[in-house]
Amino acid sequence: MTAEEARRQIIESASGLQGAAATFEQTPLARLSEAMMTSGSEGRTVSPWGKALTSGLGAVLDTTGGNFNYDASTGVYVWNPDTQAWRQERPADSLILRFPESPDAPSNNATFTLSRYETRSVPILGSTEEVPTRVGASLSVDSTEVFALDLKDVSFLLGIPQSFSLDVTANPLAFTTSLKRGQNGTFQYEDRFRNDGQPVTATTATVDLSPDGAEGAGSTLGRVEGTTQVGQDLAIRYTADVGTPSAFEDASADEISDRVSVDVLLQGNQVATLRYDGSAEQVIVEYTDGTTEPLSDLLREIGVSGGAS
């Protein structure tokens, strides 16, 4: 297959990504996100309205000691556009925020609910951090749920994640991901992204910790291998012998290539590989006929914003 043919089929096979992005732009969650942001000479930043909403929370939420105290922050809070401040309407078992979906909305028609929030003190890089282990949250607009998040089954061992399960929905989009520990230091990672029930992407990966990492004596990884399916026909298959996190910091392009293998497949047939070009400091797509191009160019055609380098 020529590079031109492979490139065309890759772009067509990844069209679901653009479709999902277009779907998200039509959701109430996207409209709220747009109202929270503004565009300027320095790019997108929080809008004055969004900044007022978020900064005002500091007056009603308990962050004693620098950490969010959920139990001390529960209650129903409503936004007053005249005073530009939140006020507590009544006590509650959950944290409930009622506010307008946009600066022009005539009423507090959006409701964010944090129904569950649990944390655990975890040692990370020499310090102790409060890491969420159970979170349940939702957002409704005009009494219709438009976003939900469910995080659970989070566990750590000596600062290393051992398991988690996360479900996120922004109807009709749905994303699920999980990490489970197997035997002998092996972990299984999976995720699924769907648009109105149709698969957009799906990943299955296996991570093997080295003996040192498995016993907690260091943060050494062994081998990572997996496949990300995009649509029905496109798949990215990868393997990496990682070692210590610093292994790639001073590695040459050849050393990186020796450690990492990324293949692009169409209907199970390899049509390209990805490799790092040290002289250009970017990732290159190399098709089976020898033609090459920057990965960022291909991603731009697919519609992935920002590309890659």
Side-chain angles (χ1 to χ4, degrees), residues 9 19 42 104 109 156 164 171 178 228 231 253 281 293:
Q9 290 190 38
E42 298 181 355
D104 301 325
N109 63 329
F156 287 83
F164 67 83
N171 291 323
S178 66
T228 296
E281 296 186 345
E293 70 168 321

PDB file of all heavy atoms in Angstrom, residues 9 19 42 104 109 156 164 171 178 228 231 253 281 293:
ATOM      1  N   GLN A   9      -6.756   6.260   4.124  1.00  0.00           N
ATOM      2  CA  GLN A   9      -7.557   5.319   4.906  1.00  0.00           C
ATOM      3  C   GLN A   9      -7.441   5.578   6.399  1.00  0.00           C
ATOM      4  O   GLN A   9      -8.402   5.385   7.159  1.00  0.00           O
ATOM      5  CB  GLN A   9      -7.131   3.882   4.583  1.00  0.00           C
ATOM      6  CG  GLN A   9      -7.526   3.442   3.191  1.00  0.00           C
ATOM      7  CD  GLN A   9      -7.315   1.949   2.972  1.00  0.00           C
ATOM      8  OE1 GLN A   9      -7.549   1.147   3.871  1.00  0.00           O
ATOM      9  NE2 GLN A   9      -6.854   1.583   1.785  1.00  0.00           N
ATOM     10  N   GLY A  19     -16.179  13.289  14.666  1.00  0.00           N
ATOM     11  CA  GLY A  19     -17.599  13.210  14.967  1.00  0.00           C
ATOM     12  C   GLY A  19     -17.873  13.379  16.451  1.00  0.00           C
ATOM     13  O   GLY A  19     -18.826  14.061  16.840  1.00  0.00           O
ATOM     14  N   GLU A  42      -3.500  36.045  24.544  1.00  0.00           N
ATOM     15  CA  GLU A  42      -2.700  35.005  25.199  1.00  0.00           C
ATOM     16  C   GLU A  42      -3.380  33.643  25.134  1.00  0.00           C
ATOM     17  O   GLU A  42      -3.045  32.741  25.900  1.00  0.00           O
ATOM     18  CB  GLU A  42      -2.440  35.386  26.655  1.00  0.00           C
ATOM     19  CG  GLU A  42      -1.642  36.682  26.819  1.00  0.00           C
ATOM     20  CD  GLU A  42      -1.393  37.002  28.274  1.00  0.00           C
ATOM     21  OE1 GLU A  42      -1.910  36.273  29.141  1.00  0.00           O
ATOM     22  OE2 GLU A  42      -0.665  37.985  28.531  1.00  0.00           O
ATOM     23  N   ASP A 104     -25.824  35.188  30.608  1.00  0.00           N
ATOM     24  CA  ASP A 104     -27.106  35.734  30.151  1.00  0.00           C
ATOM     25  C   ASP A 104     -28.302  34.889  30.582  1.00  0.00           C
ATOM     26  O   ASP A 104     -29.443  35.269  30.296  1.00  0.00           O
ATOM     27  CB  ASP A 104     -27.102  35.846  28.618  1.00  0.00           C
ATOM     28  CG  ASP A 104     -25.987  36.745  28.119  1.00  0.00           C
ATOM     29  OD1 ASP A 104     -25.684  37.738  28.810  1.00  0.00           O
ATOM     30  OD2 ASP A 104     -25.423  36.457  27.052  1.00  0.00           O
ATOM     31  N   ASN A 109     -30.139  27.957  36.445  1.00  0.00           N
ATOM     32  CA  ASN A 109     -30.696  26.755  35.829  1.00  0.00           C
ATOM     33  C   ASN A 109     -29.716  25.598  35.759  1.00  0.00           C
ATOM     34  O   ASN A 109     -30.041  24.532  35.223  1.00  0.00           O
ATOM     35  CB  ASN A 109     -31.199  27.067  34.416  1.00  0.00           C
ATOM     36  CG  ASN A 109     -30.068  27.503  33.484  1.00  0.00           C
ATOM     37  OD1 ASN A 109     -29.090  28.110  33.931  1.00  0.00           O
ATOM     38  ND2 ASN A 109     -30.206  27.199  32.208  1.00  0.00           N
ATOM     39  N   PHE A 156      -3.618   2.288  46.331  1.00  0.00           N
ATOM     40  CA  PHE A 156      -2.203   2.580  46.137  1.00  0.00           C
ATOM     41  C   PHE A 156      -1.369   1.631  46.983  1.00  0.00           C
ATOM     42  O   PHE A 156      -1.820   1.134  48.019  1.00  0.00           O
ATOM     43  CB  PHE A 156      -1.877   4.016  46.561  1.00  0.00           C
ATOM     44  CG  PHE A 156      -2.385   5.075  45.626  1.00  0.00           C
ATOM     45  CD1 PHE A 156      -3.693   5.518  45.710  1.00  0.00           C
ATOM     46  CD2 PHE A 156      -1.559   5.629  44.662  1.00  0.00           C
ATOM     47  CE1 PHE A 156      -4.174   6.493  44.864  1.00  0.00           C
ATOM     48  CE2 PHE A 156      -2.025   6.612  43.800  1.00  0.00           C
ATOM     49  CZ  PHE A 156      -3.335   7.040  43.906  1.00  0.00           C
ATOM     50  N   PHE A 164      -8.079   1.386  39.800  1.00  0.00           N
ATOM     51  CA  PHE A 164      -9.089   2.449  39.809  1.00  0.00           C
ATOM     52  C   PHE A 164     -10.136   2.117  38.759  1.00  0.00           C
ATOM     53  O   PHE A 164      -9.908   1.308  37.842  1.00  0.00           O
ATOM     54  CB  PHE A 164      -8.495   3.836  39.552  1.00  0.00           C
ATOM     55  CG  PHE A 164      -7.949   4.034  38.167  1.00  0.00           C
ATOM     56  CD1 PHE A 164      -8.785   4.376  37.108  1.00  0.00           C
ATOM     57  CD2 PHE A 164      -6.596   3.902  37.913  1.00  0.00           C
ATOM     58  CE1 PHE A 164      -8.285   4.571  35.827  1.00  0.00           C
ATOM     59  CE2 PHE A 164      -6.080   4.087  36.634  1.00  0.00           C
ATOM     60  CZ  PHE A 164      -6.927   4.424  35.597  1.00  0.00           C
ATOM     61  N   ASN A 171     -23.665  13.079  27.939  1.00  0.00           N
ATOM     62  CA  ASN A 171     -24.567  12.506  26.937  1.00  0.00           C
ATOM     63  C   ASN A 171     -24.577  13.288  25.628  1.00  0.00           C
ATOM     64  O   ASN A 171     -24.668  14.515  25.648  1.00  0.00           O
ATOM     65  CB  ASN A 171     -25.998  12.444  27.503  1.00  0.00           C
ATOM     66  CG  ASN A 171     -26.113  11.419  28.614  1.00  0.00           C
ATOM     67  OD1 ASN A 171     -25.497  10.363  28.560  1.00  0.00           O
ATOM     68  ND2 ASN A 171     -26.918  11.736  29.616  1.00  0.00           N
ATOM     69  N   SER A 178     -10.244   1.775  33.429  1.00  0.00           N
ATOM     70  CA  SER A 178      -9.959   1.036  34.653  1.00  0.00           C
ATOM     71  C   SER A 178      -8.537   0.510  34.644  1.00  0.00           C
ATOM     72  O   SER A 178      -7.933   0.312  33.583  1.00  0.00           O
ATOM     73  CB  SER A 178     -10.941  -0.135  34.817  1.00  0.00           C
ATOM     74  OG  SER A 178     -10.743  -1.093  33.785  1.00  0.00           O
ATOM     75  N   THR A 228      -4.482   0.422  20.843  1.00  0.00           N
ATOM     76  CA  THR A 228      -5.589   1.367  20.847  1.00  0.00           C
ATOM     77  C   THR A 228      -6.327   1.249  19.520  1.00  0.00           C
ATOM     78  O   THR A 228      -5.736   1.487  18.454  1.00  0.00           O
ATOM     79  CB  THR A 228      -5.104   2.808  21.052  1.00  0.00           C
ATOM     80  OG1 THR A 228      -4.500   2.922  22.341  1.00  0.00           O
ATOM     81  CG2 THR A 228      -6.258   3.794  20.955  1.00  0.00           C
ATOM     82  N   GLY A 231     -12.063   3.563  15.833  1.00  0.00           N
ATOM     83  CA  GLY A 231     -13.078   3.136  14.882  1.00  0.00           C
ATOM     84  C   GLY A 231     -13.022   1.636  14.663  1.00  0.00           C
ATOM     85  O   GLY A 231     -12.632   0.869  15.534  1.00  0.00           O
ATOM     86  N   ALA A 253      17.998   9.319  19.965  1.00  0.00           N
ATOM     87  CA  ALA A 253      16.866   8.875  19.151  1.00  0.00           C
ATOM     88  C   ALA A 253      16.937   7.379  18.902  1.00  0.00           C
ATOM     89  O   ALA A 253      15.917   6.682  18.934  1.00  0.00           O
ATOM     90  CB  ALA A 253      16.846   9.639  17.830  1.00  0.00           C
ATOM     91  N   GLU A 281      13.603  16.662  16.381  1.00  0.00           N
ATOM     92  CA  GLU A 281      12.914  16.684  17.678  1.00  0.00           C
ATOM     93  C   GLU A 281      11.406  16.547  17.513  1.00  0.00           C
ATOM     94  O   GLU A 281      10.619  17.310  18.067  1.00  0.00           O
ATOM     95  CB  GLU A 281      13.261  17.963  18.458  1.00  0.00           C
ATOM     96  CG  GLU A 281      14.729  18.065  18.825  1.00  0.00           C
ATOM     97  CD  GLU A 281      15.025  19.259  19.709  1.00  0.00           C
ATOM     98  OE1 GLU A 281      14.167  20.160  19.802  1.00  0.00           O
ATOM     99  OE2 GLU A 281      16.103  19.289  20.326  1.00  0.00           O
ATOM    100  N   GLU A 293       6.509  11.512   7.097  1.00  0.00           N
ATOM    101  CA  GLU A 293       5.935  12.830   7.364  1.00  0.00           C
ATOM    102  C   GLU A 293       5.865  13.018   8.871  1.00  0.00           C
ATOM    103  O   GLU A 293       5.827  12.046   9.636  1.00  0.00           O
ATOM    104  CB  GLU A 293       4.542  12.973   6.751  1.00  0.00           C
ATOM    105  CG  GLU A 293       3.468  12.139   7.429  1.00  0.00           C
ATOM    106  CD  GLU A 293       2.060  12.528   6.990  1.00  0.00           C
ATOM    107  OE1 GLU A 293       1.802  13.739   6.823  1.00  0.00           O
ATOM    108  OE2 GLU A 293       1.225  11.611   6.815  1.00  0.00           O
TER     109      GLU A 293
END
